[in-house]
Amino acid sequence: MRALLGRAVAASSVVVLVVACGGADEPGASPRPRPPTRPSPEQGAAADRLLTGPDWYRHAVFYEVNVRSFQDSDGDGIGDLPGLVSRLDYLKDLGVDALWLMPINPSPFKDSGYDVADYGDVDKVYGGKPAFDVLVREAHARKMRVMVDLVLNHTSDQHPWFQESRKDKTNPKADYYVWSDTDGRSDVACGTYSAQFGTSAWAKDDQRGQYYYHRFYPGQPDLNYKNPAVVSAVLDAAKGWLDSGADGFRCDVIGLLVETADPEQCSMAPETQAIIRKLRALLDTYPDRAMVAEPLLGDARAYYGSGRDMFHMAFDFSYGYFWGVAFSARSRKLVDVSMAQSAAFPEGAQNALVIGSHDVQRAFTVASGHEWRQRRAAEIQLLRRGTPFVYYGEEVGLRPGAGVVVDSRDSARTPMTWARGPGHGFTKGTPWLAFGPMADETSVEAEDRDPESMLTFYRSLLAFRRGRAVWSTGAERVVGLDTGSVVAFLREDGAERYLVAVSLSEEEVDAALVERPAGVAEVVWGDGALGADGRLKLPARGSAVFRLR
Ligand code: GLC
C-alpha cells in the first residue's frame, strides 16, 4: 500500500501533503510514517470524557464476543467467562470500550444459545452467574461495559414455561405460547423467518395435541406477547440483568414479538412497538444504559421511535451485510443508500455499524479473500457516523471454518486464534468447533508485532479515531465523484472537518470531486492527494483521510 501509484518513494518522512492552490500534489512523493497503534494520552483522556455519562454508547467501540469461541479457561474445549476476563486487557488495548456477549443463558444449543432455557441464569459451561458477576466487575474496573443478548421473541422448547405450557390447554402457562389446533391460524400471518429455519412455522406437539408457532427452529417456540403475563415476565428478566450490572441489551429479532393477521406487519407491529417502549422505560430507570436492536433487513428507522423512546442504536444491515458488493461494478451505491437512510433518522438515533456478525460470513470471506478489501470496508465502517461493532476475530482476519456443530453459520463462529500451535491458545483440550484454516498465521501471536498485519491495521485505525467525537457523532455527507469506484464522504463537527476517500478499485484512482470541500487538505490517514481543483488521487486499493483546514 505504500508503493504508491507505481512511483518510487523518497526516504523523507514529510507527512503533510498540502494543497493550498493550483494543481494536485502527487501522492507518494514521500513516505508517510506508520500510523501509531496506540492513541496519544490526550486522545485517551478525551475518550474517557466522551465515554462518561448517558451518551457513552455513541462514542464507544463495541466488540461482539462469541463467548463459547473466545477463550477456554478450563480445558473443556468451550470458551467461558473466566477465559473472557483473561482477555479483557487485550480488548482494552485494541481499543474496545464495550462488549456484546452472544447468549450465555442455559440452552440446549439448538440455535447457538438463541434458544434460551432460563432467562435469569448463566450456563454452567460458561461459569454460571458468579462468573458473570466477575466479568462485570473486571470490565467496569477497566472502564469497559457489558451488554447482554436479550432473546425475547422465543424461548427454547426446554424452557420451563414451554414445558408447562405444553402439558394441556388449561395450565397457568397455557397461553404463554402461540398454539393452534391446525398448522396455521388466521390471525398469524407470517411464516418462518427464512429458509434456514424450515418451510413451516408450525410444529405438532404430541403432549398437548396441538401445533405451536415458531419463526425459527422448531426447538424455539414463539412467546405469545398478546398475553400480558408474558410481557411482565420478560420485563422482569430484563430487570434481573440490569440489576446484575449489565450495561444494556442487544435485542434479538425484537421486531417480531407480536403476531398479527396482517402480513405487512410481521415486523414492528404497533403492539410490538408498545412493548419496546416499555423495555426502554425500564432501562431508563437505570443510569447510563443503552440498547441496540437487531432490525430486519431494510430501513432501521422504525426502531428509533422519537429517538428517545425506543432504541439507542439499531444495526445498519443495508451496508453492514452487503458491503461485499460495494467492491463490484455497483461500487459505492450501497454506502450512498445507507447514508441517505441514516440521514432520515430522528435526532438521538445512533447507527450501529457492522461488517460482520455471527449470522453472516466472515468479513474476510465477504472480501472474497482479499485483505485489502476488508481493510477498506473497515475504514468505511469505522469512519462513518455511528457506533462500530467489531465481530471477534475480524481484527486478525479470521478465515471461515469448515466444521459444523449447529448449522452453516458455524463457519464464522470458529474459536479465536491467540497463538501458533495446538489449541492456538484457545484451549488445552479439544475445541468444541474446529479452527478455521491458517490458524497459525491469523493468530494474535503471529500478527502482534507485524506492522503489515490486520491486527496492526485495526489497532492503528481504532487509535486514529479514538477520543475524537467527530467520528462518532459529527455530521456525515456523501461527496460526489466522477467515478463509481471511490466512496467519499465528509465528516465534520464544530471542531474538525475531514474528507474520507476509500478506493474500491485495484487500479490507481485519478478522479474529480463534483464539489471540492473548502480548505487546505492534509493527509492524516492512508495516502493520496486532493488538489485545490478537486482532483483526487489514490493509490491502487488505497484510501486517504484528508483533514481540511
Ligand atoms: C437472530 C440471531 C440469530 C438467531 C435468530 C433466532 O437473528 O442473530 O443467530 O438464529 O435471531 O434467535
Side-chain angles (χ1 to χ4, degrees):
M1 188 176 139
R2 289 193 186 272
L4 299 171
L5 300 175
R7 291 177 46 151
V9 287
S12 137
S13 63
V14 175
V15 293
V16 182
L17 286 166
V18 177
V19 184
C21 56
D25 279 334
E26 291 295 310
S30 52
R32 289 171 40 73
R34 291 186 189 287
T37 53
R38 303 288 185 280
S40 67
E42 291 72 26
Q43 283 178 281
D48 284 349
R49 280 195 300 277
L50 290 169
L51 293 163
T52 303
D55 271 356
W56 66 271
Y57 65 90
R58 293 179 197 279
H59 305 289
V61 171
F62 277 75
Y63 188 91
E64 179 189 354
V65 192
N66 179 358
V67 174
R68 199 178 188 86
S69 279
F70 201 59
Q71 178 65 62
D72 174 20
S73 73
D74 57 8
D76 65 357
I78 296 176
D80 47 44
L81 293 172
L84 172 56
V85 168
S86 73
R87 295 298 184 182
L88 286 178
D89 289 334
Y90 161 84
L91 294 170
K92 181 81 188 167
D93 183 59
L94 177 63
V96 169
D97 305 302
L99 310 175
W100 149 27
L101 310 183
M102 281 172 67
I104 49 173
N105 310 86
S107 163
F109 215 68
K110 292 281 167 20
D111 185 16
S112 299
Y114 287 93
D115 45 331
V116 173
D118 183 348
Y119 282 118
D121 206 357
V122 172
D123 203 313
K124 292 208 170 23
V125 83
Y126 303 128
K129 197 71 195 315
F132 179 78
D133 297 338
V134 173
L135 171 70
V136 168
R137 209 171 52 233
E138 292 293 324
H140 287 177
R142 291 167 175 80
K143 297 188 185 156
M144 296 168 87
R145 321 246 182 179
V146 181
M147 211 174 237
V148 295
D149 216 315
L150 205 53
V151 188
L152 299 186
N153 177 64
H154 44 265
T155 67
S156 159
D157 59 1
Q158 301 306 305
H159 195 292
W161 295 346
F162 188 75
Q163 290 299 318
E164 186 167 358
S165 191
R166 78 186 337 174
K167 279 187 189 146
D168 52 48
K169 296 178 193 166
T170 53
N171 68 73
K173 302 271 188 300
D175 271 343
Y176 262 50
Y177 295 84
V178 183
W179 293 98
S180 168
D181 288 332
T182 60
D183 60 352
R185 240 168 69 172
S186 60
D187 61 337
V188 180
C190 310
T192 50
Y193 175 63
S194 75
Q196 166 99 40
F197 301 100
T199 49
S200 169
W202 294 90
K204 183 79 185 284
D205 183 63
D206 290 333
Q207 202 177 342
R208 175 152 157 165
Q210 278 190 307
Y211 292 84
Y212 64 89
Y213 180 63
H214 62 90
R215 297 294 304 272
F216 296 90
Y217 286 123
Q220 295 168 290
D222 274 48
L223 283 163
N224 174 22
Y225 278 90
K226 292 199 171 137
N227 179 352
V230 168
V231 178
S232 57
V234 301
L235 289 176
D236 274 357
K239 184 171 184 318
W241 286 101
L242 295 169
D243 289 337
S244 296
D247 295 289
F249 304 116
R250 177 266 186 186
C251 294
D252 189 68
V253 292
I254 189 85
L256 304 180
L257 295 188
V258 182
E259 278 67 57
T260 65
D262 179 356
E264 298 299 313
Q265 298 218 320
C266 290
S267 180
M268 293 303 267
E271 299 91 324
T272 297
Q273 297 184 32
I275 296 169
I276 292 170
R277 288 196 174 86
K278 285 189 178 158
L279 180 61
R280 173 64 185 258
L282 167 70
L283 202 87
D284 283 348
T285 61
Y286 294 76
D288 300 349
R289 305 298 212 270
M291 54 184 199
V292 56
E294 181 197 26
L296 300 194
L297 300 182
D299 195 340
R301 203 170 160 182
Y303 292 77
Y304 288 116
S306 70
R308 297 278 167 205
D309 60 345
M310 292 173 76
F311 282 94
H312 301 77
M313 300 178 278
F315 290 112
D316 182 340
F317 293 143
S318 58
Y319 171 70
Y321 279 0
F322 302 105
W323 59 268
V325 299
F327 290 87
S328 73
R330 274 196 282 153
S331 69
R332 58 165 206 260
K333 255 260 157 67
L334 273 169
V335 179
D336 291 3
V337 167
S338 164
M339 283 196 184
Q341 279 182 359
S342 44
F345 290 163
E347 182 73 29
Q350 178 83 352
N351 220 6
L353 300 163
V354 293
I355 59 167
S357 80
H358 64 285
D359 280 327
V360 290
Q361 294 185 322
R362 276 276 167 205
F364 181 80
T365 315
V366 182
S368 340
H370 295 291
E371 281 205 8
W372 74 268
R373 288 183 168 193
Q374 186 186 326
R375 291 177 194 215
R376 298 295 80 83
E379 284 166 346
I380 295 172
Q381 174 199 15
L382 290 160
L383 298 175
R384 282 192 54 187
R385 177 190 166 96
T387 295
F389 283 67
V390 176
Y391 181 47
Y392 87 99
E394 252 160 30
E395 77 274 23
V396 289
L398 222 56
R399 307 304 200 246
V404 176
V405 171
V406 174
D407 59 37
S408 61
R409 293 173 294 175
D410 285 349
S411 71
R413 299 174 182 179
T414 57
M416 182 72 180
T417 49
W418 298 101
R420 299 186 182 94
H424 296 292
F426 165 71
T427 184
K428 293 197 164 63
T430 307
W432 74 277
L433 175 66
F435 292 100
M438 294 184 65
D440 280 341
E441 293 87 336
T442 60
S443 66
V444 172
E445 182 186 16
E447 296 195 18
D448 192 34
R449 281 164 211 283
D450 175 358
E452 300 297 334
S453 72
M454 190 70 101
L455 183 56
T456 300
F457 168 82
Y458 267 86
R459 280 188 182 135
S460 307
L461 185 53
L462 290 167
F464 171 72
R465 72 192 289 291
R466 187 144 195 89
R468 294 180 171 142
V470 63
W471 298 116
S472 36
T473 51
E476 165 184 82
R477 177 163 69 78
V478 171
V479 175
L481 288 140
D482 65 354
T483 170
S485 58
V486 173
V487 170
F489 51 92
L490 199 66
R491 301 299 320 277
E492 60 187 318
D493 63 10
E496 302 185 280
R497 245 167 130 234
Y498 295 93
L499 177 80
V500 179
V502 177
S503 175
L504 311 172
S505 167
E506 307 211 40
E507 311 289 325
E508 294 167 7
V509 169
D510 184 350
L513 299 186
V514 171
E515 184 198 336
R516 161 73 157 87
V520 173
E522 172 194 350
V523 179
V524 290
W525 172 265
D527 222 330
L530 175 63
D533 57 356
R535 284 220 81 76
L536 170 74
K537 298 191 180 194
L538 293 175
R541 303 183 281 270
S543 62
V545 177
F546 303 94
R547 182 167 193 175
L548 299 165
R549 286 198 259 219

